[in-house]
Amino acid sequence: MSKYKDLKQEAYEANMQLPELGLVLFTFGNASVVDRSRGVFAIKPSGVPYKKLKAEDIVILDYDANVIEGAMRPSSDTKTHAVLYKHWEKIGGIVHTHSTYGTAWAQAQKDIPIMGTTHADHLTVDIPCAPPMSDEMIKGNYEHETGFQILNEFKNRNLSYEEVEMVLLGNHAPFTWGKTVNKAVYNSAVLEECAKMAYLSLAINPDAPRLKDTLIKKHFERKHGPDSYYGQE
Amino acid sequence: MSKYKDLKQEAYEANMQLPELGLVLFTFGNASVVDRSRGVFAIKPSGVPYKKLKAEDIVILDYDANVIEGAMRPSSDTKTHAVLYKHWEKIGGIVHTHSTYGTAWAQAQKDIPIMGTTHADHLTVDIPCAPPMSDEMIKGNYEHETGFQILNEFKNRNLSYEEVEMVLLGNHAPFTWGKTVNKAVYNSAVLEECAKMAYLSLAINPDAPRLKDTLIKKHFERKHGPDSYYGQE
Amino acid sequence: MSKYKDLKQEAYEANMQLPELGLVLFTFGNASVVDRSRGVFAIKPSGVPYKKLKAEDIVILDYDANVIEGAMRPSSDTKTHAVLYKHWEKIGGIVHTHSTYGTAWAQAQKDIPIMGTTHADHLTVDIPCAPPMSDEMIKGNYEHETGFQILNEFKNRNLSYEEVEMVLLGNHAPFTWGKTVNKAVYNSAVLEECAKMAYLSLAINPDAPRLKDTLIKKHFERKHGPDSYYGQE
Amino acid sequence: MSKYKDLKQEAYEANMQLPELGLVLFTFGNASVVDRSRGVFAIKPSGVPYKKLKAEDIVILDYDANVIEGAMRPSSDTKTHAVLYKHWEKIGGIVHTHSTYGTAWAQAQKDIPIMGTTHADHLTVDIPCAPPMSDEMIKGNYEHETGFQILNEFKNRNLSYEEVEMVLLGNHAPFTWGKTVNKAVYNSAVLEECAKMAYLSLAINPDAPRLKDTLIKKHFERKHGPDSYYGQE
């Protein structure tokens, strides 16, 4: 029996949430979960429809994207996950989807502006949209470079991946992460909802202002940090 | 056994309607129901997913938001509910959601204009959007002040909470209420549908006029007041 | 046992299709079916939620909207149905909904332009939007006058109710009809889909032309008239 | 027993996927599958609701649209399928829908621009929109000419039907195809999703650029051609 059975099961269950939440069509998405103690992560195999996916199909890799266990080819986006796990040490799970509204903003090459408290309950800044990659990066080790495009965007904007757990890749689609893979899945749905609401708000009122700083601070601190009072913990 | 068992059950059932009606994602909403004879209300616990919610998890509080019974922390919006119950004595239930179109109008900081009879069947004025709160109110007792922001908006506009059972909080989201919690839930769905229809009508025809007064009066009186002839009572 | 049992059952089943097709929220709609041989029609009772509706609740009336059989109050829109049955003798059923996109066009007070073959498969002209009624009509016998507003609009535009089986009532919502109530239900769904497609087409290209006459003629005649070759009859 | 039993079953199953994927309302669509060895194809009968459709209802025809087997009248679009099978010899299946967003672009008479990698994962060019047909073609053998309108558009644009497996027919709706009918069904859903995303992207940012060439090439080659590394084969 595989010593990664539980890890595969966790990755399987996270992946299966994506179609349930309406975030993926066909195979357009993938979730992975990391085991920091063993230095490996588990990810969906490439191109397998969710209806046919089984826990034992999940592929185990190290942070350099070498396959450790698994008969199937891993997700084509595997190297992006590997780079993020390698450099952002406190991430426990990563999700990539082509969810409709999030992808529409990515294709528009625009940050999703923080317009209300739904957004501020989760992050204090616009959801960043990294620019499309350089031709050199695209022609090179593409999915590996995609990871660096995200890392660099966070560095350039001076953002913390522990505070901002989501990004749009320009012309491509969203990536989200979190301390656990369930949080990453949750963040994918939050991003999609904020993307839809921001789109509608600006359609209703093109001059609608961004959320003011005091409200951003208040709502974020209700849910996060030492004085949070949301939830049961 | 709890002497609030029935009240908790009623609050539980009202809360469970919100995801069924497509009005909440994850835990982004809450419903409460009041027992006027005992001076308490029952509300959803904070951050508990609807799938896991049980009737016994519901928290009982007085109108000053003191917990009377319940092991869990109440909804983070509890103080807003408390203020409304304390000052609007004929309210039987309150609902708060971040429903997509309602929230989009709140983020746009615009009243939802009365464009048709669907709206006029329920209220005779635009659905009011209260402005975002002052920095002082936000930094103070935020959820408590949120209640006052709603009370003050109704006072300033000279609106009756018995006639207008819904409001948008600017940059935030809708609150609705009613003589019963079921009416409050119903009003949340009505608000969302009116929000979507008004958005679409103005997208189709930016010059579309508001509903004329005779039609507003006629449709409201079909459903409300001494000469109403809608429904079975 | 009621001698109208079958008629009530037919009306019941037609009404139950409306929420299944996503055309009504709560009680915002009603379907009726006529029995020409007996000069009566069967309609949904007013304000009864679809989940609780039973076949025996259906109300039977004559063309002057006098109740012939039924313990419940009929739909508040009953007089509109009665007027249409009285004057348009070949109608077998009528449906009224507040479906989202159809109502948005009604609120925009615009005809739904014929933009493609989906529309032309069903009618050869724009879906007419009757103007809001005069204050006199509204203050008078409102639902009765609503019927005449529809009749007059068809007269003014020189439209045949046998060829054009749908209308928008300005500021209100769609009415559809047909030789059978099932056709009327079908037409309600067709109207909603054409309303959504026309909205999107004009959002994509504000200069998109209406469908040209040869295509209108061709597609309508595929489905209707002596040389039709669509379907199995 | 019919010697086309398996072919009918395959066509039946493909047709039944269309309502499941939300791509057809009522009977507004059809799928067909070809048997190249026997020179026949199997298509949905005309006007039969999906709920009532049975595998044995499927009609078998040759490439000149002569019925070989089947008691029912074939889809009114049958001649279009026949023309495509006759001239594009490597097609295994064809799907026609009136899916909402795809049809909206067709009615707008606009190509669906390639705005992101979701699109580029499937084709390297805009989804072509063929212009509405000439009056002569419409008044003639309409569905037969519809096939030629598609063939000619591909010829004029110098497109390969093996690389670009979808088209919009101006004022009408999408047609898709593939080496198998399942691929054709898949392409219909991909077209609809790309249509929705492109619409939203341009609504968010009217100046959003098309995807740059290096990204188009990269994403297409990940999934297609000798160096593809997507999926399990």
Side-chain angles (χ1 to χ4, degrees):
Chain A
M1 205 182 82
S2 166
K3 62 181 176 178
Y4 300 111
K5 189 165 182 255
D6 290 354
L7 193 65
K8 289 181 183 180
Q9 182 66 26
E10 193 180 352
Y12 168 75
E13 289 176 11
N15 273 289
M16 293 308 287
Q17 286 182 60
L18 302 182
E20 264 177 54
L21 286 164
L23 298 172
V24 299
L25 175 69
F26 299 125
T27 61
F28 307 177
N30 44 72
S32 71
V33 53
V34 76
D35 180 337
R36 290 291 178 188
S37 67
R38 295 193 274 186
V40 297
F41 68 96
I43 197 166
K44 186 176 172 294
S46 182
V48 176
Y50 285 96
K51 274 185 186 172
K52 297 190 175 170
L53 186 65
K54 285 174 290 195
E56 57 262 40
D57 297 338
I58 300 292
V59 186
I60 306 293
L61 304 105
D62 68 19
Y63 302 161
D64 293 314
N66 300 306
V67 174
I68 302 298
E69 185 178 298
M72 303 186 93
R73 192 187 283 173
S75 165
S76 58
D77 298 302
T78 294
K79 286 180 186 169
T80 309
H81 292 241
V83 165
L84 296 181
Y85 283 128
K86 190 165 190 172
H87 290 81
W88 287 352
E89 296 181 3
K90 291 179 184 166
I91 289 181
I94 298 172
V95 168
H96 171 51
T97 79
H98 287 221
S99 65
T100 310
Y101 287 85
T103 304
W105 280 93
Q107 294 188 162
Q109 298 186 21
K110 292 271 187 195
D111 295 354
I112 302 175
I114 181 167
M115 307 286 296
T117 62
T118 319
H119 187 130
D121 282 336
H122 300 95
L123 69 169
T124 60
V125 294
D126 296 351
I127 298 171
C129 181
M133 290 150 68
S134 71
D135 287 357
E136 203 182 354
M137 289 171 91
I138 294 166
K139 288 177 185 165
N141 195 345
Y142 175 63
E143 292 82 4
H144 185 77
E145 298 287 4
T146 299
F148 282 99
Q149 186 77 353
I150 295 171
L151 295 180
N152 289 337
E153 189 67 17
F154 269 60
K155 217 173 280 173
N156 294 341
R157 294 194 189 214
N158 204 20
L159 294 175
S160 156
Y161 73 86
E162 292 184 82
E163 286 172 14
V164 178
E165 297 181 328
M166 51 188 78
V167 74
L168 302 177
L169 210 67
N171 280 142
H172 190 154
F175 281 85
T176 64
W177 52 86
K179 281 186 186 152
T180 64
V181 70
N182 282 334
K183 184 69 191 306
V185 169
Y186 172 90
N187 283 335
S188 283
V190 166
L191 180 150
E192 181 66 2
E193 186 65 15
C194 290
K196 185 169 186 184
M197 285 176 173
Y199 160 68
L200 291 170
S201 295
L202 291 169
I204 291 166
N205 181 6
D207 300 322
R210 289 171 77 261
L211 194 62
K212 62 180 183 173
D213 286 343
T214 42
L215 265 174
I216 292 174
K217 199 162 175 291
K218 180 67 197 177
H219 267 263
F220 193 74
E221 290 177 354
R222 292 211 312 178
K223 279 203 161 181
H224 307 268
D227 298 326
S228 71
Y229 50 93
Y230 182 90
Q232 298 301 329
E233 282 144 44
Chain B
M1 204 182 84
S2 167
K3 60 181 177 178
Y4 299 111
K5 188 164 183 256
D6 290 353
L7 194 64
K8 288 181 183 179
Q9 182 65 27
E10 193 180 351
Y12 167 75
E13 289 175 12
N15 272 290
M16 293 309 288
Q17 287 182 60
L18 303 181
E20 264 178 54
L21 286 163
L23 298 172
V24 299
L25 176 69
F26 298 126
T27 60
F28 307 177
N30 44 72
S32 71
V33 54
V34 76
D35 179 336
R36 289 290 178 189
S37 68
R38 296 194 273 188
V40 297
F41 68 96
I43 197 166
K44 186 178 173 292
S46 181
V48 176
Y50 285 95
K51 274 186 188 172
K52 297 190 175 171
L53 186 66
K54 286 174 288 194
E56 58 261 40
D57 297 338
I58 300 292
V59 186
I60 306 293
L61 303 105
D62 67 20
Y63 304 162
D64 293 314
N66 299 307
V67 174
I68 303 297
E69 185 177 299
M72 302 186 94
R73 192 187 283 173
S75 165
S76 57
D77 298 301
T78 294
K79 286 181 187 170
T80 308
H81 291 241
V83 165
L84 296 181
Y85 283 127
K86 191 165 189 172
H87 291 81
W88 288 351
E89 296 181 3
K90 291 178 185 167
I91 289 181
I94 298 171
V95 169
H96 171 50
T97 78
H98 286 221
S99 66
T100 310
Y101 287 85
T103 303
W105 280 94
Q107 294 187 163
Q109 298 187 19
K110 293 270 186 196
D111 296 353
I112 302 175
I114 181 167
M115 307 285 296
T117 62
T118 319
H119 187 130
D121 282 336
H122 301 95
L123 70 168
T124 61
V125 294
D126 296 350
I127 298 171
C129 181
M133 290 150 68
S134 70
D135 288 357
E136 203 183 351
M137 289 171 91
I138 294 167
K139 288 177 186 166
N141 194 346
Y142 175 62
E143 291 82 6
H144 185 76
E145 298 287 5
T146 299
F148 282 100
Q149 186 77 352
I150 295 171
L151 294 179
N152 290 337
E153 189 67 16
F154 269 59
K155 217 172 280 174
N156 294 342
R157 295 195 188 212
N158 203 21
L159 294 175
S160 156
Y161 74 86
E162 293 184 82
E163 287 171 15
V164 179
E165 299 180 328
M166 50 188 79
V167 73
L168 302 177
L169 210 67
N171 280 143
H172 190 156
F175 281 85
T176 64
W177 51 86
K179 280 185 187 153
T180 64
V181 70
N182 282 335
K183 184 70 191 307
V185 169
Y186 172 90
N187 284 335
S188 284
V190 166
L191 181 151
E192 181 66 3
E193 187 64 14
C194 290
K196 185 168 185 183
M197 285 177 173
Y199 159 70
L200 290 170
S201 294
L202 291 170
I204 291 166
N205 180 6
D207 300 321
R210 289 171 77 261
L211 194 62
K212 63 180 182 173
D213 286 343
T214 42
L215 264 175
I216 292 173
K217 200 163 174 291
K218 180 67 197 177
H219 267 262
F220 193 74
E221 291 176 354
R222 293 211 311 178
K223 278 203 161 181
H224 308 268
D227 298 326
S228 70
Y229 50 94
Y230 182 91
Q232 299 301 328
E233 282 145 44
Chain C
M1 204 182 83
S2 167
K3 61 180 176 179
Y4 301 111
K5 189 164 182 255
D6 290 353
L7 193 64
K8 289 182 183 179
Q9 182 65 27
E10 193 180 352
Y12 167 75
E13 288 175 12
N15 272 290
M16 293 309 288
Q17 286 182 59
L18 302 181
E20 263 177 54
L21 286 164
L23 298 172
V24 299
L25 176 70
F26 299 125
T27 61
F28 306 178
N30 44 73
S32 71
V33 54
V34 77
D35 180 337
R36 290 290 177 189
S37 68
R38 295 194 273 187
V40 297
F41 67 96
I43 197 165
K44 186 177 171 294
S46 181
V48 175
Y50 286 95
K51 274 186 188 173
K52 297 189 175 171
L53 186 65
K54 285 173 290 195
E56 57 262 39
D57 297 338
I58 300 292
V59 186
I60 306 294
L61 303 105
D62 67 19
Y63 303 162
D64 293 314
N66 299 306
V67 173
I68 303 298
E69 185 177 298
M72 303 186 93
R73 190 187 285 174
S75 165
S76 58
D77 298 302
T78 295
K79 286 180 186 169
T80 309
H81 292 241
V83 166
L84 296 181
Y85 284 127
K86 191 164 190 174
H87 290 81
W88 287 350
E89 296 180 3
K90 292 179 183 166
I91 289 181
I94 299 172
V95 169
H96 172 50
T97 77
H98 287 221
S99 65
T100 309
Y101 287 85
T103 303
W105 280 92
Q107 294 187 163
Q109 298 187 19
K110 293 271 186 196
D111 296 355
I112 302 175
I114 181 168
M115 307 286 296
T117 63
T118 319
H119 188 131
D121 282 336
H122 301 94
L123 69 169
T124 61
V125 294
D126 297 351
I127 299 171
C129 182
M133 290 150 69
S134 71
D135 287 356
E136 204 181 354
M137 290 171 91
I138 294 166
K139 287 177 186 166
N141 195 346
Y142 175 62
E143 291 82 5
H144 185 77
E145 297 288 5
T146 299
F148 282 99
Q149 186 76 353
I150 295 171
L151 295 180
N152 290 336
E153 189 67 17
F154 270 60
K155 218 172 282 175
N156 294 341
R157 294 194 188 214
N158 204 21
L159 294 175
S160 157
Y161 73 86
E162 292 184 83
E163 287 172 14
V164 178
E165 298 181 328
M166 50 188 79
V167 74
L168 302 177
L169 210 67
N171 280 143
H172 190 154
F175 281 85
T176 64
W177 51 86
K179 281 185 187 152
T180 64
V181 71
N182 283 335
K183 184 70 193 305
V185 169
Y186 173 89
N187 284 335
S188 284
V190 166
L191 181 150
E192 180 66 3
E193 187 65 14
C194 290
K196 185 168 185 182
M197 284 177 174
Y199 159 69
L200 291 170
S201 295
L202 291 170
I204 291 166
N205 181 7
D207 300 321
R210 288 171 79 261
L211 194 61
K212 63 180 181 171
D213 286 343
T214 42
L215 264 174
I216 291 174
K217 199 162 176 291
K218 180 68 197 176
H219 266 264
F220 193 74
E221 290 177 354
R222 292 211 311 178
K223 279 203 161 182
H224 307 269
D227 299 326
S228 71
Y229 50 93
Y230 182 91
Q232 298 300 328
E233 283 144 43
Chain D
M1 205 183 83
S2 166
K3 61 180 178 179
Y4 300 111
K5 190 165 182 254
D6 290 353
L7 193 65
K8 288 182 183 179
Q9 182 65 27
E10 193 180 352
Y12 168 74
E13 289 176 11
N15 272 289
M16 293 309 288
Q17 287 182 59
L18 303 181
E20 264 177 55
L21 286 164
L23 298 172
V24 299
L25 177 69
F26 299 125
T27 61
F28 307 177
N30 44 72
S32 70
V33 53
V34 76
D35 179 337
R36 290 289 178 190
S37 68
R38 295 194 274 187
V40 297
F41 68 96
I43 197 166
K44 187 178 171 293
S46 181
V48 175
Y50 286 95
K51 274 186 188 171
K52 297 189 174 170
L53 186 65
K54 285 174 290 193
E56 56 262 40
D57 297 338
I58 300 292
V59 186
I60 307 292
L61 303 104
D62 67 20
Y63 303 163
D64 292 315
N66 299 306
V67 174
I68 303 297
E69 185 177 298
M72 303 186 92
R73 191 187 284 173
S75 166
S76 57
D77 298 302
T78 294
K79 286 181 186 169
T80 309
H81 292 241
V83 165
L84 296 181
Y85 283 128
K86 191 165 189 174
H87 290 81
W88 287 350
E89 297 181 2
K90 292 180 184 166
I91 289 181
I94 298 172
V95 169
H96 171 51
T97 79
H98 287 221
S99 66
T100 309
Y101 287 85
T103 304
W105 279 93
Q107 294 188 162
Q109 298 187 20
K110 293 269 187 196
D111 296 353
I112 303 175
I114 181 168
M115 308 286 295
T117 62
T118 319
H119 188 130
D121 282 336
H122 301 94
L123 69 170
T124 61
V125 294
D126 296 350
I127 299 171
C129 181
M133 290 150 68
S134 71
D135 287 357
E136 202 183 353
M137 289 170 91
I138 294 167
K139 288 177 186 167
N141 195 346
Y142 175 62
E143 292 81 6
H144 185 76
E145 297 288 5
T146 299
F148 282 99
Q149 186 77 353
I150 295 172
L151 294 180
N152 289 337
E153 189 67 17
F154 270 60
K155 217 173 281 175
N156 294 341
R157 295 195 189 213
N158 204 20
L159 295 175
S160 156
Y161 74 85
E162 292 184 84
E163 287 172 14
V164 179
E165 298 181 327
M166 49 188 81
V167 74
L168 301 177
L169 210 67
N171 280 143
H172 190 155
F175 281 85
T176 64
W177 52 86
K179 281 186 187 153
T180 64
V181 71
N182 282 335
K183 183 70 192 306
V185 169
Y186 173 90
N187 284 335
S188 283
V190 166
L191 181 150
E192 180 67 1
E193 186 66 15
C194 289
K196 185 168 186 184
M197 284 177 173
Y199 159 69
L200 290 170
S201 294
L202 291 170
I204 292 167
N205 181 7
D207 300 321
R210 289 171 78 262
L211 194 62
K212 62 180 184 173
D213 286 343
T214 42
L215 264 175
I216 292 174
K217 200 163 174 292
K218 180 67 197 177
H219 267 263
F220 193 75
E221 290 177 353
R222 291 210 312 177
K223 280 202 160 182
H224 307 267
D227 298 326
S228 71
Y229 50 93
Y230 183 90
Q232 299 300 327
E233 282 145 43

